[in-house]
Amino acid sequence: MMILQAAQTAAKPETIGLGSLILAGGWLMIPLALLSAISIFIFFERFWMVRQASDKMDAGFMTKIRDLIYERKIEQAIQYCRTRRSPVARMIEKGIMNLGRPKADIQAAIENVANLEVSRLESGLPFLATTAGGAPMIGFLGTVLGMVQAFMDMAAAGGSVDLSILASGMYTAMITTVGGLVVGIPAYFGYNFLVARIEKVVFQMEANTIAFMDIVTAKENPTGGGRML
């Protein structure tokens, strides 16, 4: 009975913990871990910023702005924009502050603010894109280094090659590859997800810009159905 138990114990495969696997990957796991941590932080921080920018836009915003402008309550319109704290509100605020100037100047002022707002929303995205492409390359570098180490160990062993001799190099080769993909794939999907969300915000910004310029046009051409200030 004891012999049978000993045989079963010997036949049971040895399991390796996650920490041991990461350590077996070698020093290249350190930059991969740093890239992973920074990418996670950037994703959730950008996701929160984009979500805030989207949630603070409402369908009645431009209607309220139009009514205030038609009622000559320019200061109230500016203050209303400032209370909204959204990219669209900051764009329209700049447009209101330039009322009375040529339409081209008003539109240029709005577009300048829009470019700044989009740049602010896209902050950090280049890092995610770099991680998506760079992490698998770091993993591939680990694969090459691991295979080099394995062949060096084989050469050092001479004619008596044992699989245990190759274990260290093979661990480095395989684990860094997996680590690079584990870091790069989420970064890739996270980047594209944020880009899609930002494009929706940009579309809303463009739609509100057009609506505001229609208000300006109606103001300048009261016979076309608008009311003159």
Side-chain angles (χ1 to χ4, degrees), residues 197-217:
R197 293 293 298 266
I198 291 173
E199 285 180 353
K200 290 182 180 180
V201 176
V202 171
F203 174 79
Q204 292 174 326
M205 293 168 67
E206 292 175 348
N208 282 274
T209 299
I210 294 172
F212 181 78
M213 295 309 299
D214 288 342
I215 295 172
V216 174
T217 302

